[in-house]
């Protein structure tokens, strides 16, 4: 009898399908309080995605009309030693760019060997929603083999290569973060949001509380363009407190962010607040939410070859893979024969 019980227990796993288990996407855990100091303290929250390459704000944001006026002299922000070193063996030319949604202009200093033309730089800066653009000070456009950018606490943005509009919005997020002189990303509210959440949008967001704030700025702009939805592949559940903190900021009031004037009531710290002579009548369109992908469930059975025994189509239909099924069938027969032989022996 003992041998019979042993045989039944040994064979049972071969005939009982273990089912599928969805992975645990996020586990609540204690998160150390980030320090908004220099050098930045990296975050320990998990990243939802590798980067933001899955979407492009530039395809959705309108471009205001603009007027470019060359300047005869460089402003101090474009003639300091650091800025000069970013334009080796060349020189800068400065221009004032006035958009139809603001009565004050933005200064762009472009190195004459920069990858991006002055017109292209003016257009991409213009696509930054005016509610964010008003915090941007001087823009420096310099050459580089790889696109990147950085923003000073003064609101000056240095652009290298030809970054997409998403990067410009990210840098404007930094300018907004530091507009008051004390970063919002170092506030107790932002610290509490990070401590309560379990994820950040992407790998770069893990760099620091400040970089996460700037990446969340991009995410907020996308969300407001798509009726509150996030890009495919992102979930708001694990970063709900960060989203709520951003949504509570007056800058992310949709009517002001995508409005047609930089003269906004909450403009205490903005660098551009003069209303345009004539307020444009264009309307930033809304876009439908994109469908979120469904993550396929994976088999948890550990037999070799069984992982390929089923494939799932997009509609959820499962199909047997005959080669893998045959392999598993043979494996079962061999194991049964071995167990029976051992029992009889």
């Amino acid at each position: 009898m003992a041998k019979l019980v042993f045989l039944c227990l040994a064979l049972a796993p071969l005939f009982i399908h273990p089912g599928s288990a969805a992975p645990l996407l996020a586990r609540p855990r204690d998160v150390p309080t980030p320090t908004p100091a220099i050098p930045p303290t990296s975050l320990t929250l998990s990243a939802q995605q590798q980067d933001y390459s899955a979407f492009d704000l530039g395809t959705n944001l309108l471009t205001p009309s603009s007027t470019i006026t060359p300047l005869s002299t460089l402003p101090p922000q474009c003639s300091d030693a650091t800025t000069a070193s970013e334009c080796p063996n060349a020189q800068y030319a400065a221009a004032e760019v006035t958009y139809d949604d603001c009565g004050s202009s933005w200064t762009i200093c472009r190195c004459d060997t920069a990858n991006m033309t002055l017109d292209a730089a003016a257009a991409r800066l213009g696509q930054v929603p005016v509610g964010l653009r008003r915090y941007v000070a001087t823009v420096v456009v310099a050459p580089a083999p790889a696109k990147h950018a950085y923003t000073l606490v003064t609101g000056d943005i240095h652009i290298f290569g030809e970054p997409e509009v998403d990067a410009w919005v990210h840098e404007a997020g930094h300018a907004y973060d530091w507009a008051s002189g004390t970063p919002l990303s170092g506030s107790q509210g932002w610290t509490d949001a990070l401590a309560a959440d379990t994820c950040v949008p992407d790998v770069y967001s893990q760099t620091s509380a400040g970089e996460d704030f700037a990446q969340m700025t991009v995410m907020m702009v996308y969300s407001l363009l798509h009726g509150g939805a996030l890009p495919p592949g992102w979930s708001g559940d694990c970063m709900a407190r960060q989203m709520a903190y951003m949504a509570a900021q007056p800058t992310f009031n949709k009517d002001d962010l995508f409005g047609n004037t930089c003269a906004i009531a909450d403009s205490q710290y903005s660098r551009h607040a003069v209303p345009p002579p004539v307020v444009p009548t264009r309307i930033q369109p809304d876009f439908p939410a994109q469908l979120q992908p469904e993550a396929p469930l994976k088999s948890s059975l550990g037999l070799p070859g069984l992982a390929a025994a089923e494939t799932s189509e997009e509609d959820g239909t499962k199909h047997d893979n005959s080669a893998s099924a045959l392999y598993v069938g043979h494996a079962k027969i061999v194991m049964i024969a071995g167990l029976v032989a051992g029992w009889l022996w």
Side-chain angles (χ1 to χ4, degrees), residues 11-81:
L11 296 179
L14 297 176
F15 298 99
I16 299 175
H17 193 279
S20 298
L24 187 61
L25 297 181
R27 296 178 183 271
R29 61 184 185 276
D30 293 330
V31 179
T33 302
T35 304
I38 298 176
T41 301
S42 59
L43 306 180
T44 60
L45 284 73
S46 61
Q48 287 206 56
Q49 299 292 336
Q50 181 67 28
D51 52 36
Y52 279 5
S53 59
F55 64 91
D56 178 13
L57 292 179
T59 61
N60 298 141
L61 290 168
L62 297 178
T63 304
S65 61
S66 61
T67 301
I68 299 176
T69 305
L71 297 176
S72 57
T73 59
L74 289 177
Q77 300 92 326
C78 303
S79 56
D80 62 86

Side-chain angles (χ1 to χ4, degrees), residues 195-230:
D197 284 344
T198 57
C199 77
V200 291
D202 70 340
V203 171
Y204 193 63
S205 303
Q206 295 174 314
T207 305
S208 67
E211 294 301 339
D212 180 45
F213 186 94
Q215 286 294 74
M216 285 298 300
T217 298
V218 177
M219 193 61 63
M220 280 298 299
V221 171
Y222 181 98
S223 177
L224 291 171
L225 285 170
H226 293 81
L230 297 181

Side-chain angles (χ1 to χ4, degrees), residues 65-157:
S65 61
S66 61
T67 301
I68 299 176
T69 305
L71 297 176
S72 57
T73 59
L74 289 177
Q77 300 92 326
C78 303
S79 56
D80 62 86
T82 299
T83 304
S85 69
E86 295 169 352
C87 182
N89 304 315
Q91 59 184 3
Y92 285 100
E96 284 188 347
V97 182
T98 304
Y99 299 98
D100 64 4
D101 53 16
C102 193
S104 63
S105 60
W106 281 257
T107 299
I108 297 180
C109 296
R110 178 185 175 274
C111 177
D112 59 16
T113 58
N115 309 65
M116 186 178 293
T117 66
L118 178 59
D119 287 344
R124 292 189 188 179
L125 176 60
Q127 282 192 276
V128 176
V130 68
L132 273 174
R133 191 184 346 120
R134 61 194 171 120
Y135 294 103
V136 175
T138 299
V139 175
V140 175
V141 181
K147 55 190 177 185
H148 62 283
Y150 69 84
T151 297
L152 302 176
V153 296
T154 57
D156 295 336
I157 297 176

